[in-house]
Amino acid sequence: MSEFEGPSERPAAGPNRRSSSSTPSSLPAWARWVGRALLWLMGGALAGVLTVLLLIGIALSVAYPNLPQVSGLVDYRPKLPMRIYSADGVMLGEYGEERRNFTPLAQVPKVMQDAVLAIEDARFYQHGGVDYKGVLRAGLAQFNESRSQGASTITMQVARNFYLSTEKTFTRKIYEILLALKIESLLSKDQILEIYMNQIFLGQRAHGFAAASEIYFGKPLKDITIAEAAMLAGLPKAPSAYNPIVNPRRATQRQLYIIDRMLENGFITPEQHDAARAQQLKYRAAPEVVVHAEYVAEAARQMIFSQYGEEAYTRGLNVYLTIQSAEQTVAYRSLRKGIMDYERRQVYRGPEAYIDLPANVKDLDARIAEALVEHPDNDELRAAVVIEASPRKVVAVLQSGEALTVTGEGLKPATSGLAEKGNPKTQIRAGAVIRLVKLPKGDWSITQLPEVEGAFVSLDPRTGAVRTMVGGFDHAKSKFNHVTQAWRQPGSSFKPFIYSASLEKGFTPATVVNDAPLFFDAGTTGSQPWEPKNYDGTFDGPMSIRRGLAKSKNMISIRILQAIGPAYAQDWITRFGFDPDKHPAYLTMALGAGSVTPLQMASAYGVFANGGYRINPFLISKITDARGHVLNEAVPQVMDESTRTLPARNAFVMDSLLQEVTRSGTAANAQRTLKRPDVYGKTGTTNDSNDAWFAGFQRSVVGVVWIGYDNPRKLGDRETGGGLSLPVWIDYMQQTLKGVPVEEPSAPEGVVNMGGEWYYEEYTHGSGVSSLGLEEKLPTPPSEEEKKGILDLFKR
C-alpha cells in the first residue's frame, strides 16, 4: 500500500480508473482545474504582495514628507483647566473646557497602566508603533465575522487624537500608521504612554485617567482598585456608551471583560481576578458645594483672564486666594440669615408657580419631580409641591419624594396665602410650588425666595488681603457681584470721612454743634431747594460732635461740612481711595449722597483701622503652573510713611468716635453682643431707606455689609442699617474674633486727653472750634393757647 493511500476502499477497475503513479496529464479533469487554480492563486498572491509593497513604497515616498510635525508631543502641554483655591487649599472653582489633572507616568499606579494595556494594546512594549500581528488578527476577525479586534495601538491612537480627523478612510489609516512610526522614533514608550494616559477623553469633560478617577469615583488615581481601573479603562473606546453612571449595564459588561483580559495577560492573579469581578463599585455622588465662594472665584477668574487671555483656561494655572474657606462660609451664612430675617417681615408674595396634579396617585411622584426641575432648591430654601393645604396645615412634597407637614408657627409667614377668601393669585393650594426652610428646632416653615439683595466683604486692614467676599444672596440667581459692581449711596456710613476732614480744621470731639433745622436754596445743593431732616424727625439742639456722630444726626454733619467747605472735604476723601467725581462738592455729601461700592468702603475704613495707612486690597496671593512652579506671588504693601495717607492722630481720634458709635450710639448692639470694647463702626441708612449699611472693624479685620434692592426702592419705614446690616456684621464677628485678644490703639504723638476727651495738642484750652450754629434756635413749641386754637380749627 502506498503511503498516500487511505483506508477507504479502492475504486473498481474500469476504463476510467487512473493508476496512482499517473502523470498530471492523466489526472481527472477536476484535479487539473484545482491545480491550475492553485497556481493562479500563488501567482496572484505573489503579484499582490509585490503590488502592496509597491503601494507602500509610493505611500512612504509621497506621504511621509507631508506628515505633520510631531515635535509638539516632545514638549507635551495638555489643556489644563484653571483652578481657584482658598488659602487653605479648598478648590473654589474650575474653569476650562477640559477637566484634567496632569499626572507623570511614574505616579500612575501600575494597576491603571495594566488595565489600559490589557484592553488597548497588550503588546505595547514589544511593537514599534504598529502591531502587525494585531492588524492580521483584526483582518481575520472581520472575515470570520467575529467580534472586532481593533488594530490601533496606543501610539496610533495618540497620533489620531492629536493630528488626524475621526473619519474612517484607508488614507487616514495610512497616515495613522506613518505618524505612529514617526512618534516612536522621537519618544520613548513611557513618554507615549504618559501622553495617552493624560490626553485621552473619558467623558464628563474628563481628559486623562487622573481626572476621570476624581469625577467618577471621587478619589485620587493613586487609590484606584483593580475593578475601578478596569471600569475606567473601558471608557476610551466610547465614553458615552460605556459611561458607568449613564449606562451601568453596558459599562459593567466591558469592565468584566477587561478584568478577564488582565488575567489572560498575567497582570493579575486568579485571586485578584475573582475579587475584582465581585467588587461592587461606588460612584461619586453629586458634589455638595461645601464652600459658597462663587462670587469670589468669579472675581479671581476675571482678573486672571485679563492677564492671560484664553490661555488662562488651558495652561493649568492654580490660583490661590487670600480667603480662608471656613471664614468664607461664616460670611455667606451671616448674610443669608440677615436677608432671610428681613424677608420674614415682608408680605407673602404667593407661590412661585402652580401645576396640575394627576388624578392617579401613582403618577403623583413623577409629576412632582418633573415640575421641581424648573424650581431647584436654593441651598437651605427647599422647593416643594403642595398636595394638601388649609389654614391649619400644609403638606408639601420635596424633589426627593419626602412629604413634609407644616403647622403652627411655620404657617405664619404665609398667613395671607392660606386665608380662605384670600387673593387667588397668592393662594397656597394643592399644586402650588412653595419654599420651605427648616427652623432651628427641626420643624419646617413656609418662606419665599427673597427679592432683596445684599453684599458682605471683609479684609485685613494691615495687609489689604481680602478675607471674605459674598457678592449677593445666591450666585445662581444673580451673577452680579454687589461687592465690586454695585455703586450705591453710602448714607450715614460716609459721615466719618467728613468728620475726619473737620479734625484738620480745628474741630474736636468736644466741639458743640447745634442740631437745629436747616434750609438751603438750589444754588447751595446743586439741584433744588433742600430742607434736610434727621432720621427720627426730631431736633435735639446743641450737642458734641462725639454725640452727634453716635446718634447719626444729619444736621450736625451738614453744619460741619458747611463750615469746612465741600471742596475741601471732596479733596480729603481721596485719601481714603474715593473718586471725587462720584462725590460732588455739595452739602449733600455730608449725608452720603455720592456713590461707592462695598469693597471701596471696606478699604476706606481700613485706613481708620490700621492707624492711617492706605493699603490697597488684593485677592490673589499666588499663581502657579500645572507643575507647581510659582508664576506670580503677591507682595503686600508695607505700612510705612510711603503708604501713610492720614495723620496718625487723626486716625486715633476717629477710632475713638467710631468706638462711641458701637458703645452708646446707633450700633450699640455691637459691643453689647460681642462683649468687647475694641470694635468700631458706623451705621448707614440712605434717604427713603433704599440702602442699609454697616461698616466696622477690629484692628485685624474690617467688614462691610450692604442690603438693598437692585432697582432701588424703599426697604421699609423702620428698616435701618442698624437693624438690617449690623446683625450680619455681628454674626460674622462673633465667629471671626473668637480667640482674638482685645486690642485698642495707644495714643500717638500730638494728642492729649483732657477731661476724658481727646484733643489735638494745638486745639486745647479753647483754641479750636468750640461751637457751631448755636445762634440758630430750635423751633419754639406751641403754647397751650396755640394748641387750643389749632384744635378748634380742626373741630370746624
Coordinates of all heavy atoms in Angstrom, one line a residue, residues 343 346-354 413-414 416-418 423-429 432-435 446-449 451:
E343 N -36.7 89.1 55.1 CA -37.7 88.5 54.2 C -39.0 88.1 55.0 O -40.1 88.2 54.6 CB -37.2 87.4 53.4 CG -38.1 86.9 52.3 CD -38.3 88.0 51.2 OE1 -37.4 88.7 50.8 OE2 -39.5 88.1 50.9
Q346 N -41.7 90.6 55.4 CA -42.4 91.1 54.2 C -43.7 90.3 54.0 O -43.9 89.2 54.5 CB -41.4 90.9 53.0 CG -40.1 91.5 53.2 CD -40.1 92.9 53.7 OE1 -40.7 93.8 53.1 NE2 -39.4 93.1 54.9
V347 N -44.5 91.0 53.2 CA -45.8 90.3 52.9 C -45.6 89.1 51.9 O -44.7 89.2 51.1 CB -46.7 91.4 52.1 CG1 -48.0 90.7 51.6 CG2 -47.1 92.5 53.1
Y348 N -46.3 88.1 52.2 CA -46.1 86.9 51.4 C -46.6 87.2 49.9 O -47.7 87.6 49.7 CB -46.9 85.7 51.9 CG -46.7 84.4 51.2 CD1 -45.5 83.8 51.2 CD2 -47.8 83.8 50.5 CE1 -45.2 82.6 50.6 CE2 -47.5 82.6 49.9 CZ -46.3 82.0 49.9 OH -46.1 80.8 49.2
R349 N -45.7 86.9 49.0 CA -46.0 87.3 47.6 C -46.7 86.1 46.8 O -47.0 86.2 45.6 CB -44.7 87.7 46.9 CG -44.1 88.9 47.4 CD -42.8 89.3 46.6 NE -41.7 88.4 46.8 CZ -40.9 88.4 47.8 NH1 -41.0 89.3 48.7 NH2 -39.9 87.5 47.8
G350 N -46.8 85.0 47.4 CA -47.5 83.9 46.8 C -46.6 82.8 46.3 O -45.4 83.0 46.2
P351 N -47.1 81.6 45.9 CA -46.3 80.5 45.3 C -45.6 81.0 44.1 O -45.9 81.9 43.4 CB -47.4 79.5 45.0 CG -48.5 79.8 45.9 CD -48.5 81.3 46.0
E352 N -44.5 80.2 43.8 CA -43.7 80.5 42.6 C -44.4 80.0 41.3 O -44.1 80.6 40.2 CB -42.3 79.8 42.7 CG -41.5 80.4 43.8 CD -40.1 79.6 44.0 OE1 -39.7 79.0 43.0 OE2 -39.6 79.7 45.1
A353 N -45.2 79.0 41.4 CA -45.9 78.5 40.3 C -47.1 77.6 40.7 O -47.2 77.3 41.9 CB -45.0 77.8 39.3
Y354 N -47.9 77.2 39.8 CA -49.0 76.2 40.1 C -48.9 75.1 39.0 O -48.6 75.4 37.8 CB -50.4 76.8 40.0 CG -50.6 77.9 41.1 CD1 -50.5 79.2 40.8 CD2 -51.0 77.5 42.4 CE1 -50.7 80.2 41.8 CE2 -51.3 78.5 43.4 CZ -51.1 79.8 43.1 OH -51.3 80.7 44.0
P413 N -45.5 83.0 58.2 CA -45.0 83.8 57.1 C -45.9 83.8 55.9 O -45.8 84.7 55.1 CB -43.7 83.2 56.8 CG -43.3 82.5 58.0 CD -44.5 81.9 58.6
A414 N -46.8 82.9 55.8 CA -47.7 82.8 54.6 C -49.2 82.9 55.0 O -50.1 82.3 54.3 CB -47.5 81.5 53.8
S416 N -51.4 85.2 54.7 CA -52.3 85.8 53.7 C -52.5 84.8 52.6 O -53.6 84.8 52.0 CB -51.6 87.0 53.1 OG -50.4 86.7 52.5
G417 N -51.6 83.9 52.3 CA -51.8 82.9 51.3 C -52.6 81.7 51.7 O -53.0 80.9 50.8
L418 N -52.9 81.6 53.0 CA -53.7 80.5 53.4 C -55.1 80.9 53.8 O -55.9 80.1 54.3 CB -53.0 79.8 54.6 CG -51.7 79.1 54.3 CD1 -51.0 78.8 55.6 CD2 -52.0 77.9 53.5
N423 N -56.5 86.4 48.1 CA -56.3 86.6 46.6 C -55.9 85.3 45.9 O -54.9 84.6 46.3 CB -55.1 87.6 46.5 CG -54.9 88.0 45.0 OD1 -55.4 87.4 44.1 ND2 -54.2 89.1 44.8
P424 N -56.7 84.9 44.9 CA -56.4 83.6 44.2 C -55.0 83.6 43.7 O -54.4 82.5 43.5 CB -57.4 83.6 43.1 CG -58.5 84.5 43.6 CD -57.9 85.6 44.4
K425 N -54.4 84.7 43.3 CA -53.1 84.7 42.7 C -52.0 84.4 43.7 O -50.8 84.1 43.3 CB -52.8 86.1 42.0 CG -53.7 86.4 40.8 CD -53.4 87.7 40.2 CE -54.3 88.0 39.0 NZ -54.0 89.3 38.4
T426 N -52.3 84.6 45.0 CA -51.2 84.3 46.0 C -51.6 83.2 46.9 O -51.0 82.9 47.9 CB -51.0 85.6 46.8 OG1 -52.2 86.0 47.5 CG2 -50.5 86.7 46.0
Q427 N -52.7 82.5 46.6 CA -53.2 81.5 47.5 C -52.4 80.2 47.4 O -51.9 79.8 46.3 CB -54.7 81.1 47.1 CG -55.4 80.2 48.0 CD -56.8 79.9 47.6 OE1 -57.1 79.7 46.4 NE2 -57.7 79.9 48.5
I428 N -52.2 79.6 48.6 CA -51.5 78.3 48.6 C -52.6 77.2 48.6 O -53.4 77.1 49.5 CB -50.7 78.2 49.9 CG1 -49.5 79.2 49.9 CG2 -50.1 76.8 50.1 CD1 -48.7 79.2 51.2
R429 N -52.5 76.4 47.5 CA -53.5 75.3 47.4 C -52.8 74.1 46.8 O -51.6 74.2 46.4 CB -54.6 75.8 46.4 CG -54.2 76.3 45.1 CD -55.4 76.7 44.2 NE -55.0 77.1 42.9 CZ -54.7 78.3 42.5 NH1 -54.7 79.3 43.4 NH2 -54.4 78.6 41.2
A432 N -49.5 74.1 44.3 CA -48.7 75.2 44.4 C -47.2 74.9 44.7 O -47.0 73.9 45.4 CB -49.2 76.1 45.6
V433 N -46.3 75.6 44.0 CA -44.9 75.4 44.2 C -44.4 76.4 45.3 O -44.5 77.6 45.0 CB -44.1 75.5 42.9 CG1 -42.6 75.4 43.2 CG2 -44.5 74.5 41.9
I434 N -44.0 76.0 46.4 CA -43.6 76.9 47.5 C -42.2 76.6 48.0 O -41.6 75.6 47.5 CB -44.6 76.8 48.7 CG1 -44.5 75.3 49.3 CG2 -46.0 77.1 48.3 CD1 -45.3 75.2 50.6
R435 N -41.7 77.4 48.9 CA -40.4 77.2 49.5 C -40.6 76.9 51.0 O -41.4 77.5 51.7 CB -39.6 78.5 49.4 CG -39.2 78.8 48.0 CD -38.0 78.0 47.5 NE -37.9 78.0 46.0 CZ -36.9 77.5 45.4 NH1 -36.0 76.8 46.0 NH2 -36.9 77.5 44.0
I446 N -42.9 77.8 56.0 CA -43.1 78.3 54.7 C -42.3 79.6 54.6 O -42.3 80.4 55.5 CB -44.6 78.6 54.4 CG1 -45.3 77.2 54.4 CG2 -44.7 79.2 53.0 CD1 -46.8 77.4 54.2
T447 N -41.6 79.8 53.5 CA -40.9 81.0 53.2 C -41.0 81.4 51.8 O -41.8 80.8 51.0 CB -39.4 80.9 53.7 OG1 -38.8 82.2 53.6 CG2 -38.7 79.9 52.9
Q448 N -40.1 82.3 51.3 CA -40.1 82.6 49.9 C -38.7 83.1 49.5 O -37.9 83.6 50.3 CB -41.1 83.7 49.5 CG -41.0 85.0 50.4 CD -42.2 85.9 50.2 OE1 -43.0 85.8 49.3 NE2 -42.3 86.9 51.1
L449 N -38.4 83.0 48.2 CA -37.1 83.5 47.7 C -37.1 85.0 47.9 O -38.0 85.6 47.4 CB -36.9 83.1 46.3 CG -36.5 81.6 46.0 CD1 -36.5 81.3 44.5 CD2 -35.2 81.2 46.6
E451 N -36.4 88.9 47.3 CA -36.2 89.8 46.2 C -35.1 90.8 46.5 O -34.4 91.3 45.6 CB -37.5 90.6 45.8 CG -38.6 89.8 45.3 CD -39.8 90.6 44.9 OE1 -39.9 91.7 45.4 OE2 -40.7 90.1 44.2

